[in-house]
Amino acid sequence: MKKTGKMVLCVIILIVLLAILLLVSRLNQEGDAEDGTEEESIEVTSGEEDHVTALSFQINGTEVSFTKTDDTWVYDQDPEFPLDQTDMETIVGKVISLSAEQELEDDSLELSDYGLDAPTNVVTFTDDTGTTKISIGNENTTTGIWYLYLNDDTAKIYLVDQSFDTMFPDDIMSFADGETLPSITADNITDIQVENGEDSYQIAADSESTTNWTVTDASGFSHEGDGDQIGTLTSTLASLSYGGMVEYNCADMAQYGLADPAATVRVHYTEEQTVDTSDDDTEEEASDSDTDDTDASSSSSSGADSEEETTVTVEKDLVLLVGSQNEEGNYYVTMEGSGEVHTITGDTIDSILDTSAADYWSLYVSPVTVTDIKSMDVTYNGQTNTIVRNTEETTDEDGDTTQTITYTWNGEEVDKTEASTLYSSAVTMTAQSKDFAYEKTGEDELVLVMHTDDGDYTVSFSPYDSSFYYVVDLEGVPSLVNKNNVNSLIDAYLTVIGEK
């Protein structure tokens, strides 16, 4: 019995000791974590950006250098180059504040192990403390760490977490502060001209068109435009942007196909500007604000005291010349009158040039609306019936006007819903496609004559094949209409006259 009690006591003591051991171990781990959670980074370079007066690095193995004079950076190899000052400030800020994750220091280090026997780039900067040279080797693709050494101290290699492959440009033109295309709002575009040989076309805003647009081809033929298709085009034009600058002062445009452009895109648009009207030169001031301005109209709003502001609508033009394509398929472009050559992606330019006027035609067969039609003659199976749309207005004693619409056939009133369905089907009929190459292959099966205050409009439908009817729209363009849509129109007509 005594032996058993001693054993139990020993077990309890052992458990307590293990618990104490675990607690001490845990406390030690937490203490270690608090004392050394992160190693401090190692300073490689340091300096004040404002004190740096010179910088050089390599682009594709060729050294380029820059000098700062009167707070302005200049490209030494071409002092007239339009150097982007922000780009220079960014790169200087990075170069003078490098830090390392680790430092290797050993006289026996093999530079070739780190790509430092033939550096991928050599960077120098000069400030009020002197000139510092940074030799950059390879990147450890697993860790993203780059190897470098300073000046001629090859016995000390720094491991730096910095994206040197993207810090420096692949082309000096990436550092050019050149022109940008004007900021255009798609809704403010009022005229588009694409000069592209036989596929040239013009799209103009037209308040008299039911779609608000008119499209004119190279021969001068005009047709109502499709709002959705034209909306896609105006959005494309409004979002145009350069891909990159090729030359900033080109003396030989022919090498880019721009001396005799393959195409010219002209965009006329309006822009709202707010100008100070404290003097009498409001419109002149607005017109002078951009070399492309052609006209201005204004609406004013008063300001405090003698100062007033006026919102001016300014007419502007963008003229873009399109040249040849480079190896990547991008187009060389320039704005008319500019010496700069830029690129724009091939897909963007092709979406503008690989179209013709017909691609922007409205697919509606009839350009009239239901409210335009006073009556409509329908000829089907050799029988003609006229469905009349009657509008009556009455004014009550309060002066409020009420409009009542009824439909009649053979002098008798017919169901308003059924008749309005017929009218709507007639004016909303759209073609699957339109092409002057289509030819009529059969006799007319359905003929609609729409009587309006502006005249009579006739639309005739004849079978074309098993899927389509042939019809000539009211602007004279042969069109193919889905057979199911025509059958729905016929059914609506037969319903009105009580034959279905």
Side-chain angles (χ1 to χ4, degrees), residues 52-54 66-76 85:
V52 179
T53 57
F66 309 86
T67 302
K68 188 176 183 181
T69 304
D70 296 330
D71 293 327
T72 300
W73 283 101
V74 176
Y75 178 36
D76 295 338
Q85 299 298 306

PDB file of all heavy atoms in Angstrom, residues 52-54 66-76 85:
ATOM      1  N   VAL A  52      20.511  65.752 -55.714  1.00  0.00           N
ATOM      2  CA  VAL A  52      21.048  64.973 -56.831  1.00  0.00           C
ATOM      3  C   VAL A  52      21.081  65.848 -58.074  1.00  0.00           C
ATOM      4  O   VAL A  52      20.071  66.456 -58.459  1.00  0.00           O
ATOM      5  CB  VAL A  52      20.204  63.712 -57.081  1.00  0.00           C
ATOM      6  CG1 VAL A  52      20.765  62.920 -58.269  1.00  0.00           C
ATOM      7  CG2 VAL A  52      20.175  62.839 -55.838  1.00  0.00           C
ATOM      8  N   THR A  53      22.232  65.902 -58.719  1.00  0.00           N
ATOM      9  CA  THR A  53      22.401  66.780 -59.892  1.00  0.00           C
ATOM     10  C   THR A  53      22.718  66.020 -61.178  1.00  0.00           C
ATOM     11  O   THR A  53      22.716  66.608 -62.257  1.00  0.00           O
ATOM     12  CB  THR A  53      23.530  67.784 -59.651  1.00  0.00           C
ATOM     13  OG1 THR A  53      24.742  67.080 -59.347  1.00  0.00           O
ATOM     14  CG2 THR A  53      23.178  68.712 -58.494  1.00  0.00           C
ATOM     15  N   ALA A  54      23.006  64.713 -61.057  1.00  0.00           N
ATOM     16  CA  ALA A  54      23.323  63.933 -62.256  1.00  0.00           C
ATOM     17  C   ALA A  54      22.912  62.481 -62.036  1.00  0.00           C
ATOM     18  O   ALA A  54      22.953  61.969 -60.910  1.00  0.00           O
ATOM     19  CB  ALA A  54      24.808  64.015 -62.587  1.00  0.00           C
ATOM     20  N   PHE A  66      21.796  62.102 -67.541  1.00  0.00           N
ATOM     21  CA  PHE A  66      20.901  63.229 -67.337  1.00  0.00           C
ATOM     22  C   PHE A  66      21.534  64.200 -66.339  1.00  0.00           C
ATOM     23  O   PHE A  66      22.187  63.775 -65.384  1.00  0.00           O
ATOM     24  CB  PHE A  66      19.546  62.750 -66.794  1.00  0.00           C
ATOM     25  CG  PHE A  66      18.934  61.640 -67.598  1.00  0.00           C
ATOM     26  CD1 PHE A  66      19.262  60.305 -67.341  1.00  0.00           C
ATOM     27  CD2 PHE A  66      18.040  61.918 -68.615  1.00  0.00           C
ATOM     28  CE1 PHE A  66      18.703  59.277 -68.086  1.00  0.00           C
ATOM     29  CE2 PHE A  66      17.484  60.889 -69.367  1.00  0.00           C
ATOM     30  CZ  PHE A  66      17.818  59.562 -69.097  1.00  0.00           C
ATOM     31  N   THR A  67      21.311  65.474 -66.574  1.00  0.00           N
ATOM     32  CA  THR A  67      21.852  66.509 -65.695  1.00  0.00           C
ATOM     33  C   THR A  67      20.720  67.428 -65.254  1.00  0.00           C
ATOM     34  O   THR A  67      19.858  67.802 -66.064  1.00  0.00           O
ATOM     35  CB  THR A  67      22.926  67.332 -66.421  1.00  0.00           C
ATOM     36  OG1 THR A  67      23.967  66.458 -66.864  1.00  0.00           O
ATOM     37  CG2 THR A  67      23.515  68.387 -65.499  1.00  0.00           C
ATOM     38  N   LYS A  68      20.765  67.797 -63.990  1.00  0.00           N
ATOM     39  CA  LYS A  68      19.748  68.683 -63.444  1.00  0.00           C
ATOM     40  C   LYS A  68      20.302  70.100 -63.357  1.00  0.00           C
ATOM     41  O   LYS A  68      21.294  70.357 -62.675  1.00  0.00           O
ATOM     42  CB  LYS A  68      19.314  68.193 -62.066  1.00  0.00           C
ATOM     43  CG  LYS A  68      18.126  68.940 -61.492  1.00  0.00           C
ATOM     44  CD  LYS A  68      17.705  68.315 -60.163  1.00  0.00           C
ATOM     45  CE  LYS A  68      16.469  68.981 -59.589  1.00  0.00           C
ATOM     46  NZ  LYS A  68      16.076  68.382 -58.285  1.00  0.00           N
ATOM     47  N   THR A  69      19.649  71.004 -64.064  1.00  0.00           N
ATOM     48  CA  THR A  69      20.056  72.411 -64.067  1.00  0.00           C
ATOM     49  C   THR A  69      18.836  73.274 -63.814  1.00  0.00           C
ATOM     50  O   THR A  69      17.809  73.124 -64.501  1.00  0.00           O
ATOM     51  CB  THR A  69      20.683  72.789 -65.421  1.00  0.00           C
ATOM     52  OG1 THR A  69      21.775  71.901 -65.699  1.00  0.00           O
ATOM     53  CG2 THR A  69      21.189  74.214 -65.391  1.00  0.00           C
ATOM     54  N   ASP A  70      18.951  74.174 -62.831  1.00  0.00           N
ATOM     55  CA  ASP A  70      17.837  75.063 -62.481  1.00  0.00           C
ATOM     56  C   ASP A  70      16.559  74.262 -62.225  1.00  0.00           C
ATOM     57  O   ASP A  70      15.470  74.590 -62.738  1.00  0.00           O
ATOM     58  CB  ASP A  70      17.595  76.088 -63.597  1.00  0.00           C
ATOM     59  CG  ASP A  70      18.783  77.026 -63.784  1.00  0.00           C
ATOM     60  OD1 ASP A  70      19.477  77.287 -62.781  1.00  0.00           O
ATOM     61  OD2 ASP A  70      19.013  77.465 -64.923  1.00  0.00           O
ATOM     62  N   ASP A  71      16.715  73.176 -61.448  1.00  0.00           N
ATOM     63  CA  ASP A  71      15.587  72.326 -61.043  1.00  0.00           C
ATOM     64  C   ASP A  71      14.921  71.600 -62.207  1.00  0.00           C
ATOM     65  O   ASP A  71      13.791  71.117 -62.075  1.00  0.00           O
ATOM     66  CB  ASP A  71      14.530  73.138 -60.293  1.00  0.00           C
ATOM     67  CG  ASP A  71      15.052  73.642 -58.949  1.00  0.00           C
ATOM     68  OD1 ASP A  71      15.875  72.928 -58.340  1.00  0.00           O
ATOM     69  OD2 ASP A  71      14.641  74.739 -58.524  1.00  0.00           O
ATOM     70  N   THR A  72      15.593  71.526 -63.330  1.00  0.00           N
ATOM     71  CA  THR A  72      15.030  70.830 -64.489  1.00  0.00           C
ATOM     72  C   THR A  72      16.009  69.786 -64.995  1.00  0.00           C
ATOM     73  O   THR A  72      17.179  70.081 -65.234  1.00  0.00           O
ATOM     74  CB  THR A  72      14.715  71.828 -65.627  1.00  0.00           C
ATOM     75  OG1 THR A  72      13.769  72.796 -65.158  1.00  0.00           O
ATOM     76  CG2 THR A  72      14.128  71.097 -66.838  1.00  0.00           C
ATOM     77  N   TRP A  73      15.521  68.560 -65.158  1.00  0.00           N
ATOM     78  CA  TRP A  73      16.361  67.484 -65.678  1.00  0.00           C
ATOM     79  C   TRP A  73      16.434  67.578 -67.198  1.00  0.00           C
ATOM     80  O   TRP A  73      15.425  67.824 -67.872  1.00  0.00           O
ATOM     81  CB  TRP A  73      15.786  66.123 -65.276  1.00  0.00           C
ATOM     82  CG  TRP A  73      16.051  65.773 -63.847  1.00  0.00           C
ATOM     83  CD1 TRP A  73      15.204  65.870 -62.791  1.00  0.00           C
ATOM     84  CD2 TRP A  73      17.278  65.238 -63.322  1.00  0.00           C
ATOM     85  NE1 TRP A  73      15.808  65.448 -61.629  1.00  0.00           N
ATOM     86  CE2 TRP A  73      17.087  65.051 -61.927  1.00  0.00           C
ATOM     87  CE3 TRP A  73      18.513  64.907 -63.881  1.00  0.00           C
ATOM     88  CZ2 TRP A  73      18.082  64.544 -61.101  1.00  0.00           C
ATOM     89  CZ3 TRP A  73      19.504  64.405 -63.064  1.00  0.00           C
ATOM     90  CH2 TRP A  73      19.301  64.229 -61.700  1.00  0.00           C
ATOM     91  N   VAL A  74      17.640  67.361 -67.726  1.00  0.00           N
ATOM     92  CA  VAL A  74      17.884  67.422 -69.164  1.00  0.00           C
ATOM     93  C   VAL A  74      18.571  66.131 -69.597  1.00  0.00           C
ATOM     94  O   VAL A  74      19.471  65.624 -68.913  1.00  0.00           O
ATOM     95  CB  VAL A  74      18.772  68.633 -69.530  1.00  0.00           C
ATOM     96  CG1 VAL A  74      19.109  68.625 -71.016  1.00  0.00           C
ATOM     97  CG2 VAL A  74      18.059  69.935 -69.152  1.00  0.00           C
ATOM     98  N   TYR A  75      18.138  65.602 -70.730  1.00  0.00           N
ATOM     99  CA  TYR A  75      18.745  64.414 -71.322  1.00  0.00           C
ATOM    100  C   TYR A  75      20.018  64.844 -72.044  1.00  0.00           C
ATOM    101  O   TYR A  75      19.956  65.564 -73.042  1.00  0.00           O
ATOM    102  CB  TYR A  75      17.731  63.772 -72.269  1.00  0.00           C
ATOM    103  CG  TYR A  75      18.201  62.557 -73.021  1.00  0.00           C
ATOM    104  CD1 TYR A  75      19.062  61.617 -72.467  1.00  0.00           C
ATOM    105  CD2 TYR A  75      17.744  62.326 -74.323  1.00  0.00           C
ATOM    106  CE1 TYR A  75      19.468  60.502 -73.176  1.00  0.00           C
ATOM    107  CE2 TYR A  75      18.135  61.210 -75.046  1.00  0.00           C
ATOM    108  CZ  TYR A  75      19.008  60.305 -74.461  1.00  0.00           C
ATOM    109  OH  TYR A  75      19.404  59.190 -75.169  1.00  0.00           O
ATOM    110  N   ASP A  76      21.167  64.414 -71.544  1.00  0.00           N
ATOM    111  CA  ASP A  76      22.449  64.920 -72.057  1.00  0.00           C
ATOM    112  C   ASP A  76      22.654  64.610 -73.534  1.00  0.00           C
ATOM    113  O   ASP A  76      23.235  65.422 -74.269  1.00  0.00           O
ATOM    114  CB  ASP A  76      23.609  64.325 -71.247  1.00  0.00           C
ATOM    115  CG  ASP A  76      23.596  64.782 -69.803  1.00  0.00           C
ATOM    116  OD1 ASP A  76      22.981  65.835 -69.519  1.00  0.00           O
ATOM    117  OD2 ASP A  76      24.191  64.090 -68.953  1.00  0.00           O
ATOM    118  N   GLN A  85       9.644  65.143 -66.292  1.00  0.00           N
ATOM    119  CA  GLN A  85      10.302  65.449 -65.027  1.00  0.00           C
ATOM    120  C   GLN A  85       9.821  64.532 -63.902  1.00  0.00           C
ATOM    121  O   GLN A  85      10.597  64.165 -63.015  1.00  0.00           O
ATOM    122  CB  GLN A  85      10.047  66.914 -64.648  1.00  0.00           C
ATOM    123  CG  GLN A  85      10.594  67.916 -65.664  1.00  0.00           C
ATOM    124  CD  GLN A  85      12.109  67.822 -65.809  1.00  0.00           C
ATOM    125  OE1 GLN A  85      12.843  67.898 -64.829  1.00  0.00           O
ATOM    126  NE2 GLN A  85      12.587  67.662 -67.048  1.00  0.00           N
TER     127      GLN A  85
END
